[in-house]
Amino acid sequence: MQVGPRRGGRFNAPVVVLSLLLVIALGAWWGVDYLRARLAGNGCDALTPVEITAAPDVAPVLTRLAQTVPQEECFSVNVTAKESAAVADLLGTTTSGGPDVWVPESSTMLSQARDAGAWNLPESGQSVANSPVVLGLSDETARRFGWPGKAPSWQEILDGSPVGIPDPARDPLGVGTLLALRKLTEKEPDPAAAFTAAMRKLTPASGQAPMTEQAVLARNLVAAYPGVPVQGFDYPYVVLPKASEASRTAAERFLRLLLDPLAGSIFADEGFRSPTGQFALPRAKDSRTDPAPRPPGPPPVTDLYAALQAWAGTNLSARVQVLLDVSGSMAAAVPGAGKSRMELTLEAATQGLGLFKPSTELGLWLFSTKLDGDKDHRVLLPMKTIAEQKSSGGVERLQAVRPKPGGATGLYDSILAAYQNARQNWKPGRINLVVVLTDGRNEDGETIGLPRLLEELGKLQDPRKPLPVIGIGIGPDIDASELRQVSTATGGDSFTTPDPRKISDVFYQALSKIMCQPPSCKN
């Protein structure tokens, strides 16, 4: 009998094929998903980028730590080293582009960036490291001051050798040096005089240089400390307003990594202290540095502005916004001079430029009535250094100025506009001024009026950022009381003469007042 195959063992080919296809499809789907997860970094669809711009000395440490971010954190960090002054300028002039995070050497740079126009910049950040500002000495120089038997002091170094200083208006090391000197002299019988005397021992030329303790360690130099408790560089970590929400979140997570003890040991390896002003790891006692704790945090903002203002006075570094009257009356001939009021004024102004340092910044506006549409003022020379004005033909453009025929004196509105502009562009480390040159009283019937002008000027005062108006009036038509009230409202002074032939005398009298700062000249 023929025996056929049993029913239960029959091979159903279509079912098997479909099953195999299903298994293959599921496997392929799982494999692609698994590969995508692997490529994205443990479940990350994409890595959120965080762009950090940091001071050149701390950027290498941040770069090293950026490479330790685990993949599962789902963000990447790119660090760019850039001078802090350049970053402050960038943040003050643009609202787009730039990094997500800024780490300058010192919180003083945040104040200076805000003064440059970055009004929405946070006033402070989280310190990620610390390094005192010291004077770096070679072994040979340090031995002249008793090292290693004793630590060199700033005072004996200042008395015994030149000390170079970078521009405090641009370099945080310059600011740190001034703050240390101010602290060093505050217990003297006349602190202001002592501070000024100490600053005059500083020079832009080469000499013993201020630097951070971290730089001293890197270069194997000897550190000289101020001898008084002074806040050093605090390296604030600041998330900038332009950062996206995703980048902001990622930046805050990276900050947590920077504050971790493991990161602290890496900072210490590179010569930085912890944010509290202490070394995270014990250092060898080689007498090149002093491991004693240093004050953490940024210096008070009031100390910053006071030090910069004193430096500006000592070095005659100014930022001057000039208002020049070009009303029709400036064309009047001056009896006995053979020249017009305008010609005499331009001669005095041109000669006066030579009294300022080439680095002094100067801008010049003309004013009359309806000089630029409905405005009573017009920009002739935008703000530049005197050296730049001379090289770009600014003196020639000034000498070519002529009065506006029939133009009246639009004094009040022009003063307010110039003052508002100077306040908005106030620069630390300079004597900021508004200088008004006029031959008459206000003649604009559509003006805001003197009471309103004085009220508005009062609102714009900031004791930390002095901005005086210096009034210079010539001719029989001036209103000395008018100029005096405007100047007094801003902490300035006025100088007038009814005889236009004396414009040079009055002009130089005003400039000597501007350039002679306490304690040499008492207020």
Side-chain angles (χ1 to χ4, degrees), residues 218-254:
R219 301 174 191 179
N220 202 35
L221 298 174
V222 177
Y225 298 83
V228 290
V230 182
Q231 290 91 345
F233 286 179
D234 59 326
Y235 299 95
Y237 184 97
V238 182
V239 182
L240 300 179
K242 57 83 55 181
S244 67
E245 191 60 37
S247 294
R248 178 177 295 275
T249 300
E252 290 170 352
R253 286 156 63 190
F254 184 58

PDB file of all heavy atoms in Angstrom, residues 218-254:
ATOM      1  N   ALA A 218      52.901  79.652  34.061  1.00  0.00           N
ATOM      2  CA  ALA A 218      53.165  79.086  32.735  1.00  0.00           C
ATOM      3  C   ALA A 218      54.544  79.484  32.220  1.00  0.00           C
ATOM      4  O   ALA A 218      55.171  78.732  31.477  1.00  0.00           O
ATOM      5  CB  ALA A 218      52.080  79.541  31.761  1.00  0.00           C
ATOM      6  N   ARG A 219      55.033  80.671  32.635  1.00  0.00           N
ATOM      7  CA  ARG A 219      56.303  81.175  32.118  1.00  0.00           C
ATOM      8  C   ARG A 219      57.453  81.007  33.105  1.00  0.00           C
ATOM      9  O   ARG A 219      58.557  81.483  32.861  1.00  0.00           O
ATOM     10  CB  ARG A 219      56.155  82.659  31.748  1.00  0.00           C
ATOM     11  CG  ARG A 219      55.074  82.901  30.704  1.00  0.00           C
ATOM     12  CD  ARG A 219      54.854  84.381  30.462  1.00  0.00           C
ATOM     13  NE  ARG A 219      53.655  84.611  29.669  1.00  0.00           N
ATOM     14  CZ  ARG A 219      53.197  85.799  29.306  1.00  0.00           C
ATOM     15  NH1 ARG A 219      53.863  86.887  29.677  1.00  0.00           N
ATOM     16  NH2 ARG A 219      52.102  85.921  28.589  1.00  0.00           N
ATOM     17  N   ASN A 220      57.161  80.397  34.242  1.00  0.00           N
ATOM     18  CA  ASN A 220      58.185  80.147  35.254  1.00  0.00           C
ATOM     19  C   ASN A 220      58.834  81.440  35.736  1.00  0.00           C
ATOM     20  O   ASN A 220      60.056  81.531  35.902  1.00  0.00           O
ATOM     21  CB  ASN A 220      59.266  79.189  34.719  1.00  0.00           C
ATOM     22  CG  ASN A 220      60.013  78.499  35.843  1.00  0.00           C
ATOM     23  OD1 ASN A 220      59.433  78.182  36.887  1.00  0.00           O
ATOM     24  ND2 ASN A 220      61.294  78.260  35.647  1.00  0.00           N
ATOM     25  N   LEU A 221      57.988  82.457  35.998  1.00  0.00           N
ATOM     26  CA  LEU A 221      58.460  83.728  36.532  1.00  0.00           C
ATOM     27  C   LEU A 221      58.189  83.795  38.026  1.00  0.00           C
ATOM     28  O   LEU A 221      57.737  82.822  38.635  1.00  0.00           O
ATOM     29  CB  LEU A 221      57.746  84.881  35.812  1.00  0.00           C
ATOM     30  CG  LEU A 221      57.974  84.986  34.300  1.00  0.00           C
ATOM     31  CD1 LEU A 221      57.092  86.068  33.709  1.00  0.00           C
ATOM     32  CD2 LEU A 221      59.437  85.263  33.984  1.00  0.00           C
ATOM     33  N   VAL A 222      58.458  84.949  38.612  1.00  0.00           N
ATOM     34  CA  VAL A 222      58.193  85.174  40.029  1.00  0.00           C
ATOM     35  C   VAL A 222      57.050  86.187  40.131  1.00  0.00           C
ATOM     36  O   VAL A 222      57.075  87.230  39.464  1.00  0.00           O
ATOM     37  CB  VAL A 222      59.440  85.715  40.761  1.00  0.00           C
ATOM     38  CG1 VAL A 222      59.111  86.012  42.229  1.00  0.00           C
ATOM     39  CG2 VAL A 222      60.591  84.720  40.660  1.00  0.00           C
ATOM     40  N   ALA A 223      56.060  85.875  40.954  1.00  0.00           N
ATOM     41  CA  ALA A 223      54.896  86.750  41.093  1.00  0.00           C
ATOM     42  C   ALA A 223      55.079  87.706  42.267  1.00  0.00           C
ATOM     43  O   ALA A 223      55.423  87.284  43.369  1.00  0.00           O
ATOM     44  CB  ALA A 223      53.639  85.919  41.289  1.00  0.00           C
ATOM     45  N   ALA A 224      54.825  88.995  42.010  1.00  0.00           N
ATOM     46  CA  ALA A 224      54.784  89.992  43.077  1.00  0.00           C
ATOM     47  C   ALA A 224      53.326  90.400  43.267  1.00  0.00           C
ATOM     48  O   ALA A 224      52.664  90.839  42.320  1.00  0.00           O
ATOM     49  CB  ALA A 224      55.627  91.209  42.706  1.00  0.00           C
ATOM     50  N   TYR A 225      52.822  90.255  44.494  1.00  0.00           N
ATOM     51  CA  TYR A 225      51.417  90.536  44.795  1.00  0.00           C
ATOM     52  C   TYR A 225      51.281  91.948  45.368  1.00  0.00           C
ATOM     53  O   TYR A 225      52.218  92.475  45.973  1.00  0.00           O
ATOM     54  CB  TYR A 225      50.878  89.497  45.781  1.00  0.00           C
ATOM     55  CG  TYR A 225      50.898  88.089  45.230  1.00  0.00           C
ATOM     56  CD1 TYR A 225      52.055  87.318  45.279  1.00  0.00           C
ATOM     57  CD2 TYR A 225      49.761  87.524  44.664  1.00  0.00           C
ATOM     58  CE1 TYR A 225      52.094  86.030  44.769  1.00  0.00           C
ATOM     59  CE2 TYR A 225      49.780  86.233  44.154  1.00  0.00           C
ATOM     60  CZ  TYR A 225      50.949  85.491  44.205  1.00  0.00           C
ATOM     61  OH  TYR A 225      50.979  84.210  43.691  1.00  0.00           O
ATOM     62  N   PRO A 226      50.097  92.574  45.202  1.00  0.00           N
ATOM     63  CA  PRO A 226      49.926  93.950  45.694  1.00  0.00           C
ATOM     64  C   PRO A 226      50.143  94.113  47.189  1.00  0.00           C
ATOM     65  O   PRO A 226      50.491  95.195  47.646  1.00  0.00           O
ATOM     66  CB  PRO A 226      48.474  94.278  45.316  1.00  0.00           C
ATOM     67  CG  PRO A 226      48.139  93.329  44.218  1.00  0.00           C
ATOM     68  CD  PRO A 226      48.909  92.085  44.496  1.00  0.00           C
ATOM     69  N   GLY A 227      49.912  93.061  47.979  1.00  0.00           N
ATOM     70  CA  GLY A 227      50.071  93.175  49.422  1.00  0.00           C
ATOM     71  C   GLY A 227      48.804  93.590  50.128  1.00  0.00           C
ATOM     72  O   GLY A 227      48.797  93.744  51.360  1.00  0.00           O
ATOM     73  N   VAL A 228      47.727  93.821  49.379  1.00  0.00           N
ATOM     74  CA  VAL A 228      46.418  94.129  49.944  1.00  0.00           C
ATOM     75  C   VAL A 228      45.401  93.233  49.238  1.00  0.00           C
ATOM     76  O   VAL A 228      45.630  92.797  48.115  1.00  0.00           O
ATOM     77  CB  VAL A 228      46.043  95.619  49.741  1.00  0.00           C
ATOM     78  CG1 VAL A 228      46.898  96.521  50.603  1.00  0.00           C
ATOM     79  CG2 VAL A 228      46.149  96.018  48.276  1.00  0.00           C
ATOM     80  N   PRO A 229      44.285  92.940  49.901  1.00  0.00           N
ATOM     81  CA  PRO A 229      43.295  92.067  49.257  1.00  0.00           C
ATOM     82  C   PRO A 229      42.614  92.754  48.073  1.00  0.00           C
ATOM     83  O   PRO A 229      41.939  93.776  48.236  1.00  0.00           O
ATOM     84  CB  PRO A 229      42.297  91.761  50.380  1.00  0.00           C
ATOM     85  CG  PRO A 229      42.512  92.802  51.417  1.00  0.00           C
ATOM     86  CD  PRO A 229      43.903  93.299  51.273  1.00  0.00           C
ATOM     87  N   VAL A 230      42.833  92.228  46.899  1.00  0.00           N
ATOM     88  CA  VAL A 230      42.270  92.792  45.668  1.00  0.00           C
ATOM     89  C   VAL A 230      41.673  91.654  44.847  1.00  0.00           C
ATOM     90  O   VAL A 230      42.311  90.612  44.674  1.00  0.00           O
ATOM     91  CB  VAL A 230      43.344  93.506  44.828  1.00  0.00           C
ATOM     92  CG1 VAL A 230      42.718  94.118  43.578  1.00  0.00           C
ATOM     93  CG2 VAL A 230      44.060  94.562  45.641  1.00  0.00           C
ATOM     94  N   GLN A 231      40.458  91.867  44.333  1.00  0.00           N
ATOM     95  CA  GLN A 231      39.858  90.863  43.467  1.00  0.00           C
ATOM     96  C   GLN A 231      40.652  90.776  42.162  1.00  0.00           C
ATOM     97  O   GLN A 231      41.028  91.797  41.583  1.00  0.00           O
ATOM     98  CB  GLN A 231      38.398  91.205  43.138  1.00  0.00           C
ATOM     99  CG  GLN A 231      37.456  91.071  44.304  1.00  0.00           C
ATOM    100  CD  GLN A 231      37.305  92.361  45.085  1.00  0.00           C
ATOM    101  OE1 GLN A 231      38.092  93.286  44.936  1.00  0.00           O
ATOM    102  NE2 GLN A 231      36.293  92.425  45.923  1.00  0.00           N
ATOM    103  N   GLY A 232      40.921  89.551  41.723  1.00  0.00           N
ATOM    104  CA  GLY A 232      41.626  89.348  40.462  1.00  0.00           C
ATOM    105  C   GLY A 232      40.661  89.050  39.334  1.00  0.00           C
ATOM    106  O   GLY A 232      39.514  89.486  39.333  1.00  0.00           O
ATOM    107  N   PHE A 233      41.113  88.272  38.361  1.00  0.00           N
ATOM    108  CA  PHE A 233      40.253  87.874  37.250  1.00  0.00           C
ATOM    109  C   PHE A 233      39.309  86.769  37.721  1.00  0.00           C
ATOM    110  O   PHE A 233      39.751  85.782  38.326  1.00  0.00           O
ATOM    111  CB  PHE A 233      41.087  87.371  36.084  1.00  0.00           C
ATOM    112  CG  PHE A 233      41.790  88.466  35.324  1.00  0.00           C
ATOM    113  CD1 PHE A 233      42.612  88.155  34.248  1.00  0.00           C
ATOM    114  CD2 PHE A 233      41.625  89.788  35.652  1.00  0.00           C
ATOM    115  CE1 PHE A 233      43.253  89.143  33.532  1.00  0.00           C
ATOM    116  CE2 PHE A 233      42.260  90.798  34.949  1.00  0.00           C
ATOM    117  CZ  PHE A 233      43.082  90.475  33.878  1.00  0.00           C
ATOM    118  N   ASP A 234      38.019  86.923  37.399  1.00  0.00           N
ATOM    119  CA  ASP A 234      37.028  85.951  37.879  1.00  0.00           C
ATOM    120  C   ASP A 234      36.416  85.113  36.764  1.00  0.00           C
ATOM    121  O   ASP A 234      35.585  84.274  37.018  1.00  0.00           O
ATOM    122  CB  ASP A 234      35.911  86.665  38.653  1.00  0.00           C
ATOM    123  CG  ASP A 234      35.196  87.706  37.805  1.00  0.00           C
ATOM    124  OD1 ASP A 234      35.848  88.348  36.960  1.00  0.00           O
ATOM    125  OD2 ASP A 234      33.979  87.880  37.990  1.00  0.00           O
ATOM    126  N   TYR A 235      36.790  85.338  35.510  1.00  0.00           N
ATOM    127  CA  TYR A 235      36.367  84.530  34.373  1.00  0.00           C
ATOM    128  C   TYR A 235      34.872  84.200  34.417  1.00  0.00           C
ATOM    129  O   TYR A 235      34.470  83.048  34.584  1.00  0.00           O
ATOM    130  CB  TYR A 235      37.204  83.246  34.300  1.00  0.00           C
ATOM    131  CG  TYR A 235      38.673  83.525  34.122  1.00  0.00           C
ATOM    132  CD1 TYR A 235      39.533  83.579  35.225  1.00  0.00           C
ATOM    133  CD2 TYR A 235      39.219  83.784  32.869  1.00  0.00           C
ATOM    134  CE1 TYR A 235      40.882  83.868  35.069  1.00  0.00           C
ATOM    135  CE2 TYR A 235      40.572  84.074  32.710  1.00  0.00           C
ATOM    136  CZ  TYR A 235      41.388  84.117  33.810  1.00  0.00           C
ATOM    137  OH  TYR A 235      42.726  84.402  33.651  1.00  0.00           O
ATOM    138  N   PRO A 236      34.018  85.202  34.245  1.00  0.00           N
ATOM    139  CA  PRO A 236      32.574  84.957  34.303  1.00  0.00           C
ATOM    140  C   PRO A 236      32.074  84.224  33.052  1.00  0.00           C
ATOM    141  O   PRO A 236      32.455  84.560  31.923  1.00  0.00           O
ATOM    142  CB  PRO A 236      31.985  86.367  34.382  1.00  0.00           C
ATOM    143  CG  PRO A 236      32.990  87.217  33.673  1.00  0.00           C
ATOM    144  CD  PRO A 236      34.332  86.618  33.999  1.00  0.00           C
ATOM    145  N   TYR A 237      31.236  83.239  33.260  1.00  0.00           N
ATOM    146  CA  TYR A 237      30.604  82.469  32.176  1.00  0.00           C
ATOM    147  C   TYR A 237      29.235  83.099  31.937  1.00  0.00           C
ATOM    148  O   TYR A 237      28.356  83.034  32.795  1.00  0.00           O
ATOM    149  CB  TYR A 237      30.481  81.009  32.611  1.00  0.00           C
ATOM    150  CG  TYR A 237      29.945  80.034  31.585  1.00  0.00           C
ATOM    151  CD1 TYR A 237      30.816  79.266  30.818  1.00  0.00           C
ATOM    152  CD2 TYR A 237      28.581  79.840  31.427  1.00  0.00           C
ATOM    153  CE1 TYR A 237      30.338  78.330  29.916  1.00  0.00           C
ATOM    154  CE2 TYR A 237      28.092  78.907  30.519  1.00  0.00           C
ATOM    155  CZ  TYR A 237      28.972  78.150  29.766  1.00  0.00           C
ATOM    156  OH  TYR A 237      28.492  77.222  28.879  1.00  0.00           O
ATOM    157  N   VAL A 238      29.067  83.746  30.781  1.00  0.00           N
ATOM    158  CA  VAL A 238      27.859  84.529  30.518  1.00  0.00           C
ATOM    159  C   VAL A 238      27.163  83.994  29.276  1.00  0.00           C
ATOM    160  O   VAL A 238      27.725  84.021  28.168  1.00  0.00           O
ATOM    161  CB  VAL A 238      28.204  86.018  30.314  1.00  0.00           C
ATOM    162  CG1 VAL A 238      26.935  86.830  30.080  1.00  0.00           C
ATOM    163  CG2 VAL A 238      28.969  86.554  31.514  1.00  0.00           C
ATOM    164  N   VAL A 239      25.947  83.502  29.446  1.00  0.00           N
ATOM    165  CA  VAL A 239      25.132  83.096  28.304  1.00  0.00           C
ATOM    166  C   VAL A 239      24.506  84.353  27.715  1.00  0.00           C
ATOM    167  O   VAL A 239      23.826  85.111  28.418  1.00  0.00           O
ATOM    168  CB  VAL A 239      24.037  82.094  28.720  1.00  0.00           C
ATOM    169  CG1 VAL A 239      23.227  81.651  27.501  1.00  0.00           C
ATOM    170  CG2 VAL A 239      24.661  80.876  29.405  1.00  0.00           C
ATOM    171  N   LEU A 240      24.738  84.588  26.436  1.00  0.00           N
ATOM    172  CA  LEU A 240      24.336  85.844  25.811  1.00  0.00           C
ATOM    173  C   LEU A 240      22.872  85.805  25.374  1.00  0.00           C
ATOM    174  O   LEU A 240      22.319  84.737  25.089  1.00  0.00           O
ATOM    175  CB  LEU A 240      25.230  86.136  24.610  1.00  0.00           C
ATOM    176  CG  LEU A 240      26.727  86.262  24.945  1.00  0.00           C
ATOM    177  CD1 LEU A 240      27.546  86.516  23.698  1.00  0.00           C
ATOM    178  CD2 LEU A 240      26.948  87.393  25.954  1.00  0.00           C
ATOM    179  N   PRO A 241      22.239  86.979  25.308  1.00  0.00           N
ATOM    180  CA  PRO A 241      20.813  87.031  24.985  1.00  0.00           C
ATOM    181  C   PRO A 241      20.460  86.435  23.633  1.00  0.00           C
ATOM    182  O   PRO A 241      19.349  85.936  23.450  1.00  0.00           O
ATOM    183  CB  PRO A 241      20.510  88.542  25.012  1.00  0.00           C
ATOM    184  CG  PRO A 241      21.553  89.129  25.895  1.00  0.00           C
ATOM    185  CD  PRO A 241      22.775  88.299  25.676  1.00  0.00           C
ATOM    186  N   LYS A 242      21.386  86.436  22.663  1.00  0.00           N
ATOM    187  CA  LYS A 242      21.072  85.930  21.327  1.00  0.00           C
ATOM    188  C   LYS A 242      21.020  84.415  21.243  1.00  0.00           C
ATOM    189  O   LYS A 242      20.583  83.844  20.252  1.00  0.00           O
ATOM    190  CB  LYS A 242      22.083  86.466  20.314  1.00  0.00           C
ATOM    191  CG  LYS A 242      23.550  86.159  20.595  1.00  0.00           C
ATOM    192  CD  LYS A 242      24.075  84.808  20.145  1.00  0.00           C
ATOM    193  CE  LYS A 242      23.863  84.527  18.704  1.00  0.00           C
ATOM    194  NZ  LYS A 242      24.396  83.162  18.364  1.00  0.00           N
ATOM    195  N   ALA A 243      21.476  83.711  22.275  1.00  0.00           N
ATOM    196  CA  ALA A 243      21.496  82.248  22.246  1.00  0.00           C
ATOM    197  C   ALA A 243      20.079  81.691  22.131  1.00  0.00           C
ATOM    198  O   ALA A 243      19.152  82.176  22.773  1.00  0.00           O
ATOM    199  CB  ALA A 243      22.176  81.706  23.500  1.00  0.00           C
ATOM    200  N   SER A 244      19.917  80.652  21.288  1.00  0.00           N
ATOM    201  CA  SER A 244      18.615  80.002  21.166  1.00  0.00           C
ATOM    202  C   SER A 244      18.293  79.259  22.459  1.00  0.00           C
ATOM    203  O   SER A 244      19.173  79.025  23.295  1.00  0.00           O
ATOM    204  CB  SER A 244      18.625  79.024  19.991  1.00  0.00           C
ATOM    205  OG  SER A 244      19.498  77.935  20.266  1.00  0.00           O
ATOM    206  N   GLU A 245      17.029  78.869  22.593  1.00  0.00           N
ATOM    207  CA  GLU A 245      16.624  78.166  23.816  1.00  0.00           C
ATOM    208  C   GLU A 245      17.387  76.862  23.962  1.00  0.00           C
ATOM    209  O   GLU A 245      17.824  76.497  25.057  1.00  0.00           O
ATOM    210  CB  GLU A 245      15.113  77.911  23.786  1.00  0.00           C
ATOM    211  CG  GLU A 245      14.545  77.422  25.111  1.00  0.00           C
ATOM    212  CD  GLU A 245      14.766  78.411  26.246  1.00  0.00           C
ATOM    213  OE1 GLU A 245      14.680  79.636  25.992  1.00  0.00           O
ATOM    214  OE2 GLU A 245      15.038  77.980  27.383  1.00  0.00           O
ATOM    215  N   ALA A 246      17.565  76.154  22.837  1.00  0.00           N
ATOM    216  CA  ALA A 246      18.291  74.872  22.886  1.00  0.00           C
ATOM    217  C   ALA A 246      19.756  75.093  23.260  1.00  0.00           C
ATOM    218  O   ALA A 246      20.313  74.365  24.093  1.00  0.00           O
ATOM    219  CB  ALA A 246      18.183  74.168  21.534  1.00  0.00           C
ATOM    220  N   SER A 247      20.386  76.100  22.649  1.00  0.00           N
ATOM    221  CA  SER A 247      21.797  76.376  22.955  1.00  0.00           C
ATOM    222  C   SER A 247      21.950  76.879  24.383  1.00  0.00           C
ATOM    223  O   SER A 247      22.936  76.567  25.064  1.00  0.00           O
ATOM    224  CB  SER A 247      22.355  77.409  21.976  1.00  0.00           C
ATOM    225  OG  SER A 247      22.396  76.884  20.668  1.00  0.00           O
ATOM    226  N   ARG A 248      20.981  77.658  24.848  1.00  0.00           N
ATOM    227  CA  ARG A 248      21.021  78.155  26.224  1.00  0.00           C
ATOM    228  C   ARG A 248      20.986  76.994  27.210  1.00  0.00           C
ATOM    229  O   ARG A 248      21.753  76.948  28.175  1.00  0.00           O
ATOM    230  CB  ARG A 248      19.851  79.107  26.461  1.00  0.00           C
ATOM    231  CG  ARG A 248      19.756  79.651  27.886  1.00  0.00           C
ATOM    232  CD  ARG A 248      18.613  80.643  28.001  1.00  0.00           C
ATOM    233  NE  ARG A 248      18.886  81.820  27.188  1.00  0.00           N
ATOM    234  CZ  ARG A 248      19.595  82.857  27.595  1.00  0.00           C
ATOM    235  NH1 ARG A 248      20.076  82.876  28.840  1.00  0.00           N
ATOM    236  NH2 ARG A 248      19.814  83.880  26.812  1.00  0.00           N
ATOM    237  N   THR A 249      20.069  76.041  26.970  1.00  0.00           N
ATOM    238  CA  THR A 249      19.959  74.873  27.852  1.00  0.00           C
ATOM    239  C   THR A 249      21.251  74.070  27.840  1.00  0.00           C
ATOM    240  O   THR A 249      21.756  73.645  28.889  1.00  0.00           O
ATOM    241  CB  THR A 249      18.775  74.000  27.423  1.00  0.00           C
ATOM    242  OG1 THR A 249      17.575  74.774  27.503  1.00  0.00           O
ATOM    243  CG2 THR A 249      18.653  72.773  28.314  1.00  0.00           C
ATOM    244  N   ALA A 250      21.804  73.859  26.632  1.00  0.00           N
ATOM    245  CA  ALA A 250      23.051  73.104  26.520  1.00  0.00           C
ATOM    246  C   ALA A 250      24.207  73.845  27.194  1.00  0.00           C
ATOM    247  O   ALA A 250      25.057  73.230  27.854  1.00  0.00           O
ATOM    248  CB  ALA A 250      23.367  72.853  25.044  1.00  0.00           C
ATOM    249  N   ALA A 251      24.239  75.177  27.049  1.00  0.00           N
ATOM    250  CA  ALA A 251      25.301  75.967  27.671  1.00  0.00           C
ATOM    251  C   ALA A 251      25.239  75.869  29.190  1.00  0.00           C
ATOM    252  O   ALA A 251      26.274  75.813  29.866  1.00  0.00           O
ATOM    253  CB  ALA A 251      25.181  77.430  27.230  1.00  0.00           C
ATOM    254  N   GLU A 252      24.046  75.838  29.742  1.00  0.00           N
ATOM    255  CA  GLU A 252      23.902  75.716  31.193  1.00  0.00           C
ATOM    256  C   GLU A 252      24.352  74.336  31.670  1.00  0.00           C
ATOM    257  O   GLU A 252      24.911  74.197  32.764  1.00  0.00           O
ATOM    258  CB  GLU A 252      22.452  75.987  31.580  1.00  0.00           C
ATOM    259  CG  GLU A 252      22.057  77.462  31.388  1.00  0.00           C
ATOM    260  CD  GLU A 252      20.565  77.710  31.522  1.00  0.00           C
ATOM    261  OE1 GLU A 252      19.809  76.717  31.604  1.00  0.00           O
ATOM    262  OE2 GLU A 252      20.161  78.893  31.528  1.00  0.00           O
ATOM    263  N   ARG A 253      24.124  73.318  30.844  1.00  0.00           N
ATOM    264  CA  ARG A 253      24.596  71.976  31.213  1.00  0.00           C
ATOM    265  C   ARG A 253      26.117  71.894  31.140  1.00  0.00           C
ATOM    266  O   ARG A 253      26.757  71.228  31.963  1.00  0.00           O
ATOM    267  CB  ARG A 253      23.950  70.941  30.293  1.00  0.00           C
ATOM    268  CG  ARG A 253      22.476  70.722  30.639  1.00  0.00           C
ATOM    269  CD  ARG A 253      21.673  70.188  29.485  1.00  0.00           C
ATOM    270  NE  ARG A 253      22.118  68.874  29.045  1.00  0.00           N
ATOM    271  CZ  ARG A 253      21.684  68.286  27.919  1.00  0.00           C
ATOM    272  NH1 ARG A 253      20.806  68.916  27.151  1.00  0.00           N
ATOM    273  NH2 ARG A 253      22.105  67.098  27.581  1.00  0.00           N
ATOM    274  N   PHE A 254      26.718  72.588  30.157  1.00  0.00           N
ATOM    275  CA  PHE A 254      28.179  72.612  30.085  1.00  0.00           C
ATOM    276  C   PHE A 254      28.764  73.360  31.282  1.00  0.00           C
ATOM    277  O   PHE A 254      29.817  72.992  31.808  1.00  0.00           O
ATOM    278  CB  PHE A 254      28.632  73.265  28.780  1.00  0.00           C
ATOM    279  CG  PHE A 254      30.123  73.256  28.572  1.00  0.00           C
ATOM    280  CD1 PHE A 254      30.845  72.066  28.563  1.00  0.00           C
ATOM    281  CD2 PHE A 254      30.822  74.437  28.387  1.00  0.00           C
ATOM    282  CE1 PHE A 254      32.218  72.053  28.375  1.00  0.00           C
ATOM    283  CE2 PHE A 254      32.199  74.447  28.200  1.00  0.00           C
ATOM    284  CZ  PHE A 254      32.901  73.242  28.190  1.00  0.00           C
TER     285      PHE A 254
END
